[in-house]
Amino acid sequence: MNDAVGRAGDDATGLDETGLDETGLDGSEGDARPGGLELRLDAPARTWTDAFPVGNGRVGAMVFGGTSSERVQVNDDTCWSGAPVAHPIAPLAGPGGPASELAAARGALADGDVRAAEGHVARLQSGYTQANQPLVDLLLTQRSAGEPREYRRTLDLADARATSVWTAADGAACRQDVLVSHPDGVLLLDRRTDGSTGDVDVALTSPHPWLRPPAALRTAAPADAPGAATPDAAAVPAGVAVLTALVRMPARVLPDYLNDAHAVSYDGPGVLAAVAVAVVPDGPAGASADDGTVHVAGASRVRVVLATATDHVVGDAHLHGDADRVVAEAVAVLTSALADLDGVPDRHVTDHRALMGRVDLGLAATPPDAPLDARLVAHARGAADPHLAVLAFQLGRYLTVAGSRPGTLPLHLQGVWNPHVTPPWNANYTININTEMNYWPTLVGDLAECHEPLLAWLDRLAAAGERTARELYGARGWVAHHNSDPWCFTGPVGAGRDSASWSTWPFGGVWLARHVVDHHDWTGDDDALRRHWPVVRGAALFLLDWLVPQPDGSLGTAPSTSPENQYLLPDGSVASVGTSTTSDLAMARDLLGHVRRLAPAAGEDEALVAAVDAALDRLPAERVAPDGRLAEWSTDVPDAEPEHRHQSHLYGVFPGTSIDPDQAPDLAAAARRTLDARGPDSTGWSLAWRLALRARLRDPGGVTDLVHAFLHPVDADLAAAVTTGGTDADGAAPRHVGGVYRSLLCAHPPFQIDGNLGFTAGVAEALVQAHRVDADGVREVHLLPALPDAWPDGHVRGLRLRGGLRLAELVWRDGRVTRAVLSAARPAVVVVRAGADAPGTRLDLPAATPVRVTP
């Protein structure tokens, strides 16, 4: 890359105030419109993971796309089991309390008695988180539909609309659109035909017992009449039927892995949730309600509008308990939308595009005219289809917009889409990787608004974790462990029997606090940094108290685990507790370094900075093990599971920023050997993490392999189609643990949304990196650091970078940058590199003025 640069109005002509052309980068419309961002399947969903997700941050729904029988499974993000409660701290601890158990565990580790140490930390466990809950299923039955022909359903990521089209048995053309509007707060199902829909029934079912079963809204009823609703029905237009219903979430749900026959209990306080549904036909007969079902006859169009409300107040995580108020709130949202129902779709699309349309990725290949399932099979068999990666990249951004909006709860393991009363791992906040991964693509994907739910929840979590830090460990600041929920559970999970490999990990707050740091690094928002600084400061205070002197004078951690991984003791038995795991020290060094760096902007006091400096000077760095891998444990012990899904000891590579081939070449090489040893297969979310790691290590071949592995289909019929007639080098059918379902939703398996979101972040890392800053404060922008050979031509527009930078435009041909445009929110000096080993070009970026870099 040379020094030829230009500014907007110079040789960057054609750029508007955003630095973007009206058309695509090569003069075409690119992949953003129309049809370029559609997920397509040619049959209705047979399973939940076949369905397409829609949402507005609070309400999420899975659309099955049935013709004669349609199911839309609906969630409200405030529907969880349980209620705010002060969990007992270490109820199993011995007479000396938690302090004696912690001291005994440390003493046992010093004596080399790992088993005794594990016994002591088991007595620090504090119960379980609560579980995310489904709300209702919206069911539509069209009895005269018959067998459809020419069926197709799509999810338009650009417009956030799930559409099914088909030809009915009588030849009528039929179409159904489903969306969930953020501006209006409602789900809208719109079914149309150029003939007659025939008889249509609309009903609600719920996996929970009804407190008030679905009943028609009415203005007067005996006070003791079941199902009586108090809101005024006068706001409901003539010919429209409205149902209201009320359910209560369970008081307790135990994790599914306990296999407890009494895992679900409604005995106790729980969230109250209301649903209001309006059915709006276009026929003269209107809609009528009977016994909780709405009937429509002879209409050519039927619109179903659904609103929800609960007594779960997100801002301070309490339940107000007023059932009538909850029903009234749902009806109020519903009737407000009915007042201008025709305008709901346009308002929805405008709102969604304002976020989704900020980033455009194209890989210069015409996608096959085939449904996703066929494309996934062909791709797994070796057919080139770069556009699948485009869809998966944008799906991660779409799910962020659909699942995380200001004022909502943050995305949990399944986002805001969960059909199970006892979901996998309680569909909770698993904070030893998964919750963090959920928000990796948010800032780079120019969706900073969608980061707010996580930051707001962290404020509440930190406040709750102060008690746990104080009473469990005698420490300042705050602590959280492996799992949490909206009620801000912060203790070690378990009842004395859960594995220490996940339970004994007090670094949830340390890792999560990095999101406050990242938000500032991307946005430069000093006000937001100061507002959320207690999260960072409290995590640092806990760290300073948690670190203990080691015999060599360094600081370390004890007891210590490497999340969910285990090693072998000399007798061949499995263990997980030790001292000073690499992940502990890497996360500690990372957070304390950020505290020192950001202290002036945050207004931090000198005393804390001095304590942080002293601790940083005594923290060991990562080391290379004798076998050439990056060491995971403080001693060289055998792995219990060499291909383990977690790779937390590579934190310094990603999401940390301290290890890359330039800054720490020996450690980077060791990290690469570690990934090689982990093998080619893993869970879906782990493949996404490894993709980001390979990109940060500038390994295009590794990126290629992981994109291919992530996009491997896991549905049984598709996996069988891939392996038919094919074997691996050993003559056995290829083994793929994780990948994607036919809908492109990530499979752990089961479904977890973190893999979809992590994939987006990993692709962004392969295209551009801006994590390095030299001693003079000059940031390096590295273009195409790990571009896969399978993507020789392409473009990306709109990615956000650290330092308030924006990659307004990047075009490449034959793997080489042909056009790049950068802009900065405030004046900045950067060094731009292109390709793996190219020298850098120093650029001055004025504020809000696009600058073209000419290779």
Side-chain angles (χ1 to χ4, degrees), residues 147-321:
E147 283 297 317
R149 295 180 285 110
E150 301 169 331
Y151 179 93
R152 176 178 295 193
R153 64 184 171 100
T154 58
L155 175 63
D156 188 330
L157 303 180
D159 287 353
R161 187 176 355 225
T163 299
S164 303
V165 294
W166 68 95
T167 301
D170 62 3
C174 304
R175 177 185 176 106
Q176 175 182 284
D177 292 292
V178 181
L179 57 86
V180 183
S181 168
H182 181 257
D184 288 282
V186 296
L187 180 149
L188 172 62
L189 182 154
D190 186 352
R191 180 170 286 213
R192 288 161 284 172
T193 177
D194 60 6
S196 170
T197 60
D199 293 335
V200 172
D201 292 341
V202 176
L204 292 172
T205 64
S206 177
H208 308 291
W210 297 111
L211 289 182
R212 298 180 187 173
L217 178 68
R218 52 189 179 272
T219 56
D224 60 350
T230 56
D232 191 345
V236 178
V240 174
V242 174
L243 298 178
T244 64
L246 182 73
V247 299
R248 196 187 71 187
M249 299 298 118
R252 185 208 68 207
V253 174
L254 294 175
D256 63 315
Y257 60 80
L258 295 179
N259 296 314
D260 190 312
H262 305 288
V264 180
S265 172
Y266 291 86
D267 184 14
V271 174
L272 297 173
V275 181
V277 175
V279 180
V280 185
D282 71 346
S288 61
D290 176 33
D291 195 25
T293 299
V294 175
H295 309 282
V296 176
S300 61
R301 184 182 191 186
V302 176
R303 286 180 285 182
V304 182
V305 190
L306 180 147
T308 70
T310 77
D311 71 335
H312 178 176
V313 182
V314 169
D316 56 7
H318 82 270
L319 305 179
H320 63 68

Side-chain angles (χ1 to χ4, degrees), residues 816-831:
R816 295 177 59 84
V817 173
T818 60
R819 176 176 169 90
V821 178
L822 287 170
S823 64
R826 51 196 177 275
V829 179
V830 299
V831 171

Side-chain angles (χ1 to χ4, degrees), residues 61 89 483 520 533 590 712 759 843:
I89 300 294
N483 284 160
H520 185 265
W533 187 250
D590 183 70
H712 195 279
F759 180 86
L843 299 178

Side-chain angles (χ1 to χ4, degrees), residues 321-339:
D322 186 338
D324 288 339
R325 173 181 160 188
V326 172
V327 175
E329 287 174 355
V331 173
V333 172
L334 183 74
T335 53
S336 176
L338 290 174

